């Protein structure tokens, strides 16, 4: 675990204050120090107000949201050293929206081991990578070759996370539904959840809309309940740990209204994973795996990963994949199959640098953060009629 401050402007005093004042840490098994840092996002009572902000005025705030990216410049270079496994490979099986076994919570794992649930092609000895089963259609980039078509048929697990930043403006990143026993987890870049450009506090009014299209939320809207990231990212802004898992409340599906834009009618949409499924998770995988990057409003990218480092910010365990176009929070999937459109999350896009997309390397400490996040249970948001400014929110 690195305990360093990445830039001169980020003082150790400020970092210590952040850790003590705004974060609650949860210990992970088999470690002598705290790994996961967590912070609540919205209670059930606050969900109506959060959704009123985004859905009021016919979704005016959604339409105004802009893509979010770090202001900190990442200048990474390819290296032979750096990212490496810190234990045996492991993973969590993906699940589609109709998987009764996973709904029953039978896909659980143990830290560092996944009995009967290793990712396709992943071997404990770091054997041969899984066969590339991504869809080789015209929507994809392969290396530096860009296809002409921009019509992307993304899996239902992919969507946008929306939030209000420290500038009081709406922004968005890509996000991905990930399988867990409570079927309520979203994975994205850590800086799309925690505002490390200022005081490190969570972004406000955080929601996830899988399959988002302008004016449409085909699988419902999911308000963030509790966010988890690595202690070193939350405290020291360590980009080697720039990832987050967010447990979300049950979804709410917009319904026809007698006064669109002012009266917002919503119906319970159930758990996220029951509606769209969840990608699997893989960690401690060999470098060079065939990977597909899937992000909202960007064409898929396919290629093999390689090691990157940026000594200027002490980021020593990064992965790269040739691409000049990606959105922060985009999922890096291995073992992805066009049948079912499911695979194993093995990275999240945090930046681009020198013609390459950049992701943290997923190791056992990433899995410890996931284990902490998957314990959070979500229930239906209570029904009722709520007033929020000029808006009336009616949860059926």
């Amino acid at each position: 675990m690195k305990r360093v401050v990445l830039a001169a402007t980020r003082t150790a005093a400020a970092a210590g204050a952040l850790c003590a004042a705004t974060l609650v840490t949860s210990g992970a098994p088999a470690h002598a120090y705290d790994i996961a840092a967590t912070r609540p996002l919205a209670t059930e009572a606050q969900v109506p107000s959060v959704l009123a902000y985004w859905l009021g005025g016919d979704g005016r705030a959604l339409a105004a949201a802009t893509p979010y990216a770090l202001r900190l410049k990442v200048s990474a270079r390819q290296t032979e050293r750096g990212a490496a496994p810190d234990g045996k490979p492991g993973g969590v099986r993906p699940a589609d929206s109709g998987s009764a076994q996973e709904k029953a919570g039978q896909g659980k794992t143990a830290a560092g081991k996944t009995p009967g649930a290793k990712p396709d092609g992943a071997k404990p000895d770091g054997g041969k990578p899984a066969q590339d089963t991504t869809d080789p259609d015209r929507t994809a980039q392969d290396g530096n070759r860009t296809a002409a078509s921009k019509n992307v048929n993304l899996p239902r697990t992919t969507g946008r996370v929306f939030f209000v930043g420290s500038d009081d403006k709406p922004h968005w990143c890509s996000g991905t539904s990930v399988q867990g026993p409570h079927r309520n987890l979203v994975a994205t870049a850590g800086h799309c959840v925690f505002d490390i450009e200022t005081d490190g506090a969570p972004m406000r009014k955080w929601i996830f809309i899988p399959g988002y299209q302008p004016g449409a939320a085909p699988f419902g809207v999911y308000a963030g309940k509790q966010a988890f990231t690595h202690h070193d990212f939350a405290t020291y802004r360590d980009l080697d740990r720039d990832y987050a898992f967010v447990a979300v409340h049950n979804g709410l599906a917009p319904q026809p209204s007698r006064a669109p834009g002012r009266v917002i009618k919503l119906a319970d949409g159930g758990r996220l994973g029951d509606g769209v499924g969840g990608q699997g998770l893989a960690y401690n995988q060999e470098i060079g795996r065939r990977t597909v990057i899937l992000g909202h409003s960007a064409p898929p990218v396919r290629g093999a990963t390689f090691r990157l480092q940026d000594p200027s910010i002490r980021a020593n365990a990064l992965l790269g994949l040739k691409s000049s176009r990606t959105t922060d929070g985009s999922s890096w999937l291995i073992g992805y199959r066009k049948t079912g459109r499911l695979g194993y999350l093995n990275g999240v896009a945090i930046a681009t640098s020198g013609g390459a997309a950049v992701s943290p390397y997923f190791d056992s400490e990433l899995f410890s953060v996931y284990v902490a996040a998957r314990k959070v249970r979500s229930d239906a948001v209570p029904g009722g009629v709520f007033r929020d400014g000029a808006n009336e929110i009616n949860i059926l």
Side-chain angles (χ1 to χ4, degrees):
M1 172 181 284
K2 293 186 295 182
R3 294 188 179 275
V4 296
V5 180
L6 298 183
T9 57
R10 296 165 184 168
T11 65
L18 166 66
C19 181
T22 66
L23 293 169
V24 177
T25 56
S26 58
H31 291 284
Y33 45 78
D34 292 329
I35 294 295
T38 182
R39 180 72 189 272
L41 296 178
T43 65
E44 290 180 351
Q46 293 169 329
V47 170
S49 177
V50 170
L51 296 192
Y53 172 82
W54 293 109
L55 302 180
D58 288 328
R60 182 169 52 247
L62 293 173
T66 57
Y68 189 75
L70 283 173
R71 292 194 296 270
L72 175 68
K73 182 178 180 181
V74 178
S75 300
R77 64 191 185 196
Q78 190 168 350
T79 66
E80 295 299 323
R81 297 182 177 182
D86 62 355
K88 294 182 179 180
V92 177
R93 290 185 184 276
D96 61 33
S97 57
S99 174
Q101 178 182 5
E102 296 297 344
K103 287 179 183 180
Q106 298 176 18
K108 57 186 178 181
T109 65
K113 298 181 180 180
T114 313
K118 289 181 292 187
D120 297 342
K123 299 180 180 180
D125 61 358
K128 184 179 179 181
Q131 180 182 0
D132 176 29
T133 53
T134 59
D135 195 350
D137 60 18
R138 295 180 181 178
T139 66
Q141 298 182 56
D142 197 350
N144 287 330
R145 177 170 56 84
T146 304
S149 175
K150 293 185 179 180
N151 295 319
V152 181
N153 189 8
L154 293 171
R156 293 183 295 176
T157 54
T158 298
R160 285 188 185 183
V161 300
F162 291 89
F163 50 87
V164 175
S166 58
D167 57 1
D168 290 327
K169 295 180 180 179
H171 300 283
W172 66 269
C173 290
S174 291
T176 304
S177 173
V178 176
Q179 168 61 3
H182 299 303
R183 299 176 69 83
N184 65 347
L185 291 182
V186 177
T188 187
H191 67 262
C192 296
V193 183
F194 294 88
D195 187 4
I196 65 168
E197 302 284 5
T198 55
D199 60 358
M203 302 295 189
R204 291 174 288 133
K205 302 184 185 300
W206 200 98
I207 64 170
F208 176 57
I209 304 182
Y212 172 79
Q213 295 295 331
F219 307 109
V221 181
Y222 300 80
K225 179 177 182 178
Q226 191 164 352
F228 293 79
T229 190
H230 194 287
H231 175 276
D232 284 5
F233 178 74
T235 308
Y236 305 104
R237 282 74 160 172
D238 184 354
L239 296 192
D240 286 336
R241 305 297 185 182
D242 188 356
Y243 45 71
F245 295 97
V246 175
V248 295
H249 294 277
N250 276 21
L252 289 167
Q255 304 294 307
S257 171
R258 67 180 184 276
R262 187 178 61 82
V263 177
I264 303 167
K265 296 182 67 175
L266 302 164
D268 178 38
R271 300 183 301 179
L272 174 63
D274 293 343
V276 303
Q279 299 293 342
L281 180 71
Y283 58 96
N284 282 338
Q285 300 297 305
E286 62 183 338
I287 312 300
R289 294 292 303 259
R290 187 74 171 172
T291 300
V292 58
I293 301 178
L294 297 178
H296 204 277
S297 302
V301 179
R302 294 180 290 118
T305 57
F306 47 85
R307 292 181 176 89
L308 289 176
Q309 291 185 336
D310 184 352
S312 69
I313 56 173
R314 302 181 187 178
N316 302 316
L318 300 174
L319 292 183
L321 193 151
K322 290 183 179 180
S323 171
S324 58
R325 294 188 298 169
T326 188
T327 56
D328 286 18
S330 296
S331 59
W332 292 36
L333 300 174
I334 60 174
Y336 183 72
R337 300 187 182 280
K338 58 184 179 181
T339 302
R341 298 191 179 275
L342 293 172
Y344 294 82
L345 185 72
N346 194 224
V348 290
I350 63 171
T352 56
S353 177
V358 181
S359 168
Y361 177 74
F362 279 15
D363 61 10
S364 298
E365 295 193 10
L366 170 285
F367 185 68
S368 293
V369 177
Y370 165 83
V371 168
R374 73 180 184 181
K375 296 176 183 178
V376 177
R377 184 184 182 91
S378 299
D379 296 309
V381 177
V385 177
F386 308 86
R387 302 289 306 186
D388 188 86
N391 298 306
E392 177 184 304
I393 301 93
N394 186 353
I395 299 178
L396 305 177

